[in-house]
Amino acid sequence: MCDILTYKETMGGEKVLKHYLKVCFKMMGTHVITAIFSFMLCPLIFLALLSSRFGWILMSVATSIGYAIMVYSCAYKVADKDIKVYSTNKPYILKGIVLAIPTLLVTLVLTCVYDFTFAHQFADYDLQMKTQLVGRSLFLGWNFMFEGFRVGVGGAVSTFYWVLSYALMPIASFLGYWAGMNRYDFGYKFFSAFVYKKPENK
């Protein structure tokens, strides 16, 4: 009897782990896809403006908003599935933040690699240049949505850049999951305020 209960608990634990791996990698995929599309499309769309620092900042304002919307939408869909009556994955308010943790860990690792390649002095100058190129490319490519906020301030990685890198995803994911849990559509509420007129009080 105990063996059967232990087996069921183990299988249940594996199912939960599989679910979290699935949704967390789905969120990470959202990050990667947004970074790739930002890198491939946005420089073409904003080509005429990228000769100035303001153009880079304008591009990253657009990509950051798009990124937040994509993350929000991903978390909303996860919550929408969790609240189904037949779902075995019960929703809870902090799950939106949990979804972002693996992606933030990758960001942290790439930040450490980027910092190490520029802070550490190699005996071989050629090796140092190659290492810096790889570390820089991985870090900036991963965060390309925010690249304009680096280029636009003279190439420095500013505090605002760090805030976007580490805070935008968990905030957007939290709001998206919360909205999904409560079936609250921010977009509908926002646009309906412009489309529909409020009745006048007589």
Side-chain angles (χ1 to χ4, degrees):
M1 183 66 178
C2 291
D3 291 339
I4 294 174
L5 291 174
T6 303
Y7 175 76
K8 287 183 176 179
E9 290 175 357
T10 302
M11 291 300 292
E14 289 178 355
K15 188 175 181 181
V16 170
L17 178 61
K18 185 177 179 180
H19 166 72
Y20 273 93
L21 288 174
K22 180 181 178 181
V23 294
C24 286
F25 277 111
K26 186 176 181 180
M27 181 62 75
M28 189 181 296
T30 299
H31 178 99
V32 172
I33 290 171
T34 308
I36 291 173
F37 273 91
S38 297
F39 177 75
M40 293 176 63
L41 297 178
C42 288
L44 296 175
I45 296 172
F46 292 90
L47 183 61
L49 300 174
L50 296 185
S51 57
S52 67
R53 291 182 177 181
F54 174 75
W56 278 94
I57 293 174
L58 185 62
M59 183 190 77
S60 281
V61 168
T63 54
S64 297
I65 293 173
Y67 176 71
I69 292 172
M70 292 288 288
V71 170
Y72 173 93
S73 178
C74 180
Y76 188 100
K77 290 176 182 177
V78 173
D80 188 53
K81 289 184 178 179
D82 286 353
I83 62 175
K84 303 295 185 185
V85 292
Y86 54 80
S87 175
T88 57
N89 305 299
K90 299 305 177 185
Y92 60 97
I93 192 64
L94 293 180
K95 190 172 182 178
I97 296 177
V98 173
L99 294 174
I101 291 176
T103 306
L104 295 179
L105 289 176
V106 174
T107 302
L108 178 61
V109 170
L110 293 178
T111 300
C112 292
V113 171
Y114 175 83
D115 187 60
F116 174 80
T117 58
F118 281 89
H120 186 75
Q121 295 295 320
F122 292 84
D124 187 338
Y125 180 77
D126 184 56
L127 177 62
Q128 181 165 345
M129 290 296 100
K130 290 179 180 178
T131 306
Q132 285 182 355
L133 177 62
V134 172
R136 180 188 178 95
S137 298
L138 288 174
F139 175 74
L140 298 180
W142 179 259
N143 282 329
F144 190 80
M145 298 79 66
F146 318 126
E147 179 66 0
F149 297 117
R150 187 186 67 84
V151 176
V153 295
V157 182
S158 64
T159 301
F160 184 61
Y161 183 97
W162 290 125
V163 170
L164 288 175
S165 297
Y166 286 96
L168 184 57
M169 172 176 270
I171 291 173
S173 181
F174 174 81
L175 291 175
Y177 194 85
W178 176 86
M181 278 181 61
N182 294 279
R183 295 187 180 278
Y184 187 89
D185 191 336
F186 281 104
Y188 175 78
K189 296 290 184 181
F190 178 79
F191 288 109
S192 62
F194 292 95
V195 176
Y196 301 108
K197 293 183 178 180
K198 293 182 179 180
E200 297 180 1
N201 293 326
K202 295 182 180 179

